[in-house]
Amino acid sequence: MVSVIIPVYGVERFLDACVQGVVAQTYRNLEILLVDDGSPDRCPAMCDAWAAKDGRIRVIHKTNGGLSDARNAGLAASHGDWIYFVDSDDMVAPSLIERTLDAAHHYDADLVMFQFDTISETGRTLKSSYRHNDFDEVTILSPVEAIKAQVKAEIDSYFWSFIAAAPIYREHGFSFPVGRKIEDMARICNVIGESHRVVRIPEVLYHYRMRQGSIMSSWNMRTLHDWMASADDREAYILARYPELRQFMKVQQLNFLANLDYETIRQSIVAKFKVDPRQEDALRDRIAVLSRDLDDEKADVPESTRSLIELLKRSVNGALEDFDQMREDWARMGRGWLQSMRESGDAELESADAAERGRDRRSQDRRSRDRRA
């Protein structure tokens, strides 16, 4: 049996389409858990109506606690041999469960990943280019190989992009972090790391809806803080479970810091926009530790990355007051980093280079408008 867990909050416009896709699965042995997270709209009644129509559906009504809390409630109430999470504003292909279980049995895997596409609020297919989907044949990975791919953003952290055997959750004290966003990234490697084999199948089985009001469409400084906390959680698990990946994780963290957007740095650190002093201290400590490790272990990191880390240290310490100059330095350093990555064979960063040029143009436009004003 497969337990399909669907947290529900404020999605009355999309809920029926989501649940319809789950009840229509070609694989029928399902336990469908609709977790009403205190939704203020018609969703609670809609969930009850679905339960009245399909005996496989159970509804959990609870006070609002956020996505992680709702997922935890569904997980605690589940009885299936496999666990699958669905976001209630998205849609699933009717063969998703059947195709993933077939792959699990054929390749003796206990975690199966698949591809997805994106749709608009009206259901129209949108053009997208996720690195997660950048494969065209079945790929079998060990847990360590899959963790490395996830940390390098070759595998996305969405929990709806894979199905996993229930013991991975139940036998390892798994839970989502309550009270934070970006919870998927905080726990994805906990699931990958406790599997014995991961298989990726080149089939689009999920339709991810891009809409106003979703977590990822409301990026702000609090979201950045939760993102950093999730990155810390992920690293803590990896280093405890797979200490041989310590050097790999340090280099990846440095590369992440080197790619932080200029405006994020300026607003959250230099301008202190909606940032808690403790968060600033935490970032300062993180940079210091990473820099020390970089020096002590002589990690193979491009010189431009080292320069960006130095710029970060200066900005956190408040030494940079000329925002325009900092922006220009940041863009120049970033271009150097991108060039060094291309020279080392990482052609996937070309899209980041294009984004950097776009930021340059927007920066020039802002300066032109400022001069005219």
Side-chain angles (χ1 to χ4, degrees), residues 191-354:
V191 179
I192 293 174
E194 302 305 332
S195 66
H196 81 269
R197 179 175 296 161
V198 177
V199 62
R200 305 179 73 194
I201 58 175
E203 299 180 36
V204 176
L205 299 176
Y206 194 89
H207 310 298
Y208 174 35
R209 193 184 304 273
M210 306 295 290
R211 67 182 183 91
Q212 292 292 327
S214 66
I215 289 175
M216 294 313 296
S217 70
S218 56
W219 185 266
N220 55 34
M221 295 306 109
R222 172 60 189 275
T223 309
L224 173 64
H225 171 258
D226 288 352
W227 200 102
M228 299 288 281
S230 292
D232 287 342
D233 283 0
R234 181 178 66 178
E235 182 185 21
Y237 168 79
I238 292 172
L239 296 184
R241 184 69 171 82
Y242 296 96
E244 66 271 25
L245 295 180
R246 181 175 183 274
Q247 179 69 10
F248 167 80
M249 290 300 296
K250 294 298 180 184
V251 172
Q252 293 305 313
Q253 275 209 54
L254 286 166
N255 287 342
F256 157 71
L257 287 170
N259 275 295
L260 282 174
D261 180 77
Y262 162 76
E263 285 299 324
T264 297
I265 294 297
R266 183 183 74 81
Q267 293 180 15
S268 65
I269 299 173
V270 180
K272 302 185 186 302
F273 176 65
K274 294 182 180 178
V275 67
D276 188 295
R278 289 173 297 180
Q279 297 174 23
E280 185 177 354
D281 291 341
L283 182 54
R284 182 183 293 108
D285 292 342
R286 177 195 293 260
I287 295 169
V289 170
L290 289 172
S291 298
R292 185 172 64 249
D293 288 344
L294 181 63
D295 292 335
D296 292 346
E297 300 176 16
K298 297 180 172 56
D300 184 18
V301 176
E303 181 58 36
S304 52
T305 298
R306 294 175 182 268
S307 299
L308 279 165
I309 296 302
E310 289 303 313
L311 183 59
L312 264 174
K313 288 196 290 188
R314 289 170 57 204
S315 64
V316 171
N317 291 330
L320 287 174
E321 297 180 358
D322 187 335
F323 292 166
D324 284 341
Q325 183 60 49
M326 181 181 177
R327 182 184 290 113
E328 292 171 3
D329 289 346
W330 197 254
R332 176 174 51 79
M333 296 290 190
R335 283 193 294 271
W337 186 84
L338 291 166
Q339 180 61 33
S340 67
M341 288 295 99
R342 280 198 297 275
E343 290 172 355
S344 67
D346 195 352
E348 291 144 344
L349 283 170
E350 289 180 359
S351 61
D353 196 12

Side-chain angles (χ1 to χ4, degrees), residues 107-120:
Y107 296 102
D108 187 27
D110 52 356
L111 196 156
V112 181
M113 296 181 171
F114 46 86
Q115 296 172 333
F116 62 91
D117 62 14
T118 55
I119 58 176
S120 70

